[in-house]
Amino acid sequence: MTIRINLDVELAKNKMSLKQLSGDISISMTNLSLLKNGKVKAIRFSTLEAICQALNCQPGDILQYESTNPNTHLD
């Protein structure tokens, strides 16, 4: 199972830099960069909420599930 982080896509849609987002939501550039590059194992709901509010998007726009086994289905 893989969760893809699409933060860079949402930033581009909003013509916003990571630095600007960091300032807007008071989360460090380091933490946002780690998130953007998929180097984190977890994200707080409060962080996800702040990102979604700043980028005017839904959590599903930021996080995308990708199955590592194409024959696996969720029922």
Side-chain angles (χ1 to χ4, degrees):
M1 168 178 87
T2 302
I3 302 293
R4 177 181 289 179
I5 309 295
N6 293 318
L7 183 56
D8 53 343
V9 173
E10 292 304 313
L11 285 167
K13 284 182 186 177
N14 286 275
K15 297 181 172 104
M16 184 182 288
S17 68
L18 201 62
K19 183 176 182 177
Q20 183 180 354
L21 178 62
S22 173
D24 288 353
I25 64 175
S26 300
I27 295 176
S28 74
M29 281 279 297
T30 301
N31 286 339
L32 285 176
S33 181
L34 289 169
L35 177 63
K36 183 176 88 84
N37 293 311
K39 304 283 186 192
V40 296
K41 300 252 185 227
I43 182 171
R44 293 177 188 222
F45 282 137
S46 59
T47 300
L48 186 57
E49 179 181 7
I51 291 170
C52 288
Q53 186 174 22
L55 296 176
N56 193 31
C57 66
Q58 294 294 315
D61 297 329
I62 303 289
L63 305 173
Q64 179 182 356
Y65 169 78
E66 292 182 344
S67 176
T68 54
N69 181 352
N71 295 324
T72 302
H73 299 291
L74 296 176
D75 293 326

